[in-house]
Amino acid sequence: MHMNDKYIIQVEDLHKWFGMLHVIKGISFSVQPREVLVVIGRSGSGKSTLLRCLNFLEEPSTGRISIAGNSVDTGPGVKVDHSTIITLRLSTGMVFQEFNLFPHMTVIQNVIEGLITVKRMNKDEAIPIGEKYLEKVGLREKRDVHPIRLSGGQKQRVAIARALAMEPKVMLFDEPTSALDPELIGEVLDVMKEIAYDGATMLVVTHEMGFAKDVSDRIIFIDQGLIVEDGPPEQIFGNPLDERTRLFLEPLRKVQHL
Amino acid sequence: MGLTCFNHIALEENMAVETMQSYGPAGPDPDRGMGEKLMALEKRARLIYTLEVGLVWVVLFVLLTLALMLLNFDPQYVVEHFNFVFQGLWVTIQLALISIAVASILALLGALGRLSTNPIAQGISGFYISLFRGTPLLIQIYLIYLGLPQIGRQLTILGYPQLGQMFTLSAFQSGILALSLNYGAYMTEIFRAGIQSISYGQREAAIAIGMTRLQTMRRVILPQAVRIIIPDIGNQFIAMQKDTAQVSVMGIWELTYRANRLARQESKFIEMFITAAILYWLLTIVSAWLESRIERRLAHAYER
């Protein structure tokens, strides 16, 4: 194992093409355990694609990804073993912009679905775990309702509980508050803060600069498929090294009270 | 003026948000009486409309009956032979039920093949749909009932008598095979569309927690797709009930065959075929009612 054990995620020279569109143009970075890393950038900069490459929702075109000791090499003509991909997905939990709860299942069924289908637990084992994580996101009393009866914020909190219940090594958040009404964003960010303080390793793609500033250990700014700047929030918000970072953040300062 | 008006609305909206944020029990609405009055009026209008439509049905029914009377209709013949025709109903129901079940399985396999990236699965399902949608059901019935035994005889000559025998199917088996294959081909497209109508996010959420493609299909996609396609399956089921009439050509004693037999005996065509038609009609009405009940049951998770 030549990868550094100090890091829980290592990405080396990642590229992604969609047809002739070169979306990610060679990105490398590492994440330490318990680190909260926020990824910022304009829409279309490739930040969501980067996140989705980590658990192979998008197959990277070339490059190496290593998460929790499992590394995968990709490249033209390289067929990645499906069981390796499943391992990678089991070490990551993902929260989507559109929640993607299973509408035909109740809240508790949503949360324990992975435990039962993937981890092959029986119901008696899975339910207490599910309830524990519903408690964590403050929605235990909603365990038997269907998602249609929840608000957007509640849906996203259930989605977070569903990801946490699999007890992944890393949590990936793909714009978790972008589909929410403004008054519901706070409750989701609060849950995310709590998870961060509990010591989870988190990768968060977001436009919530307040969250980035207060909670993150490190921020990566991505522009046109490349990492432009990588540093602690004080540097990014206080004294950005790159002109492009400053230009991106400038108009946001007024709206988000930075 | 326009601007003042706008401000006024904005102000009201703000107030509405504030009221909603206090989660305490809402006070009684002073205008509740008006709401109740409007509801009562709407309900009355709906009832009158339903009664009117019902009346039109009754009038059409009476007209049809009168027309039959004028056409020298012999109700006595119907009463005497009703039981004989009615006995065919159970055969018709059996044919339709077994065939829709087998057709659904074929359609699911066909749809998975259509959506697969495997060239063999893709090829087989595409060929199957094209062949069975592109040829008449009646010819499929003849080929299965009369054509297959011909192949069986050839196999027997070649020295495989046991294999050869498998190619000779009873009329009932042939009917089920033909109906299943034919309707399976049509329903493949229904299943495919149903599966594709489930948002891609559902698939992503499932594979993100580590599910395989098969698990995703079985646990997440299909349960949602089935609910969407139940009305279409019901539609196909009703169509199939009437197409079972075509298997009467093989001499299966179902509704049409029995009606036809008695009709020819004494040239009482109108009497017997109307009897059979009414039985088919009643069967489809019951099926449509059952389908709507299943639909309502499956909608449970989607009601606020």
Side-chain angles (χ1 to χ4, degrees), chain A residues 17-256:
Chain A
W17 274 270
F18 287 114
M20 285 305 292
L21 196 65
H22 198 180
V23 182
I24 295 181
K25 301 172 179 165
I27 282 186
S28 307
F29 67 96
S30 310
V31 183
Q32 291 177 12
R34 304 168 75 89
E35 196 172 16
V36 177
L37 179 69
V38 165
V39 183
I40 59 173
R42 291 172 216 286
S43 357
S45 60
K47 55 191 193 313
S48 273
T49 307
L50 172 66
L51 204 68
R52 292 160 57 82
C53 279
L54 293 183
N55 64 353
F56 273 70
L57 286 188
E58 305 289 355
E59 190 168 340
S61 302
T62 65
R64 160 177 290 198
I65 290 170
S66 163
I67 299 176
N70 296 292
S71 72
V72 186
D73 283 299
T74 58
V78 178
K79 180 101 180 82
V80 182
D81 183 31
H82 194 68
S83 66
T84 318
I85 294 178
I86 297 268
T87 316
L88 217 58
R89 285 177 183 156
L90 280 174
S91 50
T92 57
M94 191 164 210
V95 176
F96 300 87
Q97 182 178 343
E98 299 292 341
F99 333 129
N100 297 339
L101 291 182
F102 306 133
H104 57 302
M105 300 180 190
T106 62
V107 163
I108 187 79
Q109 285 169 343
N110 264 280
V111 177
I112 65 173
E113 178 59 24
L115 298 176
I116 286 175
T117 313
V118 181
K119 293 201 170 171
R120 303 255 167 238
M121 286 185 187
N122 59 41
K123 265 199 167 155
D124 298 338
E125 293 172 276
I127 285 176
I129 300 175
E131 284 175 344
K132 183 176 113 192
Y133 286 103
L134 278 180
E135 184 85 59
K136 179 104 221 152
V137 301
L139 285 172
R140 189 170 169 163
E141 80 282 1
K142 296 282 183 193
R143 58 164 278 169
D144 292 320
V145 307
H146 282 94
I148 195 156
R149 302 186 60 170
L150 302 176
S151 72
Q154 290 172 331
K155 279 183 195 162
Q156 194 60 299
R157 282 149 66 197
V158 172
I160 292 172
R162 177 175 66 182
L164 287 175
M166 297 300 283
E167 306 192 331
K169 299 278 189 342
V170 178
M171 284 288 288
L172 309 174
F173 292 86
D174 186 8
E175 301 203 27
T177 57
S178 297
L180 294 174
D181 290 340
E183 74 271 22
L184 303 175
I185 291 174
E187 61 184 83
V188 172
L189 292 181
D190 285 345
V191 167
M192 289 168 62
K193 263 181 220 172
E194 208 180 314
I195 301 166
Y197 294 144
D198 286 350
T201 309
M202 292 165 59
L203 241 80
V204 185
V205 170
T206 187
H207 294 287
E208 291 295 322
M209 295 304 155
F211 177 85
K213 204 175 173 186
D214 298 342
V215 185
S216 77
D217 300 304
R218 219 173 104 209
I219 296 175
I220 288 179
F221 171 60
I222 292 185
D223 194 36
Q224 297 184 13
L226 284 167
I227 295 181
V228 169
E229 191 158 350
D230 177 348
E234 302 77 39
Q235 173 195 324
I236 301 284
F237 291 111
N239 189 17
L241 301 178
D242 197 289
E243 179 66 8
R244 284 168 289 178
T245 317
R246 202 185 57 72
L247 281 173
F248 170 68
L249 288 171
E250 199 52 48
L252 292 173
R253 282 182 198 283
K254 245 183 215 154
V255 219
Q256 300 205 4

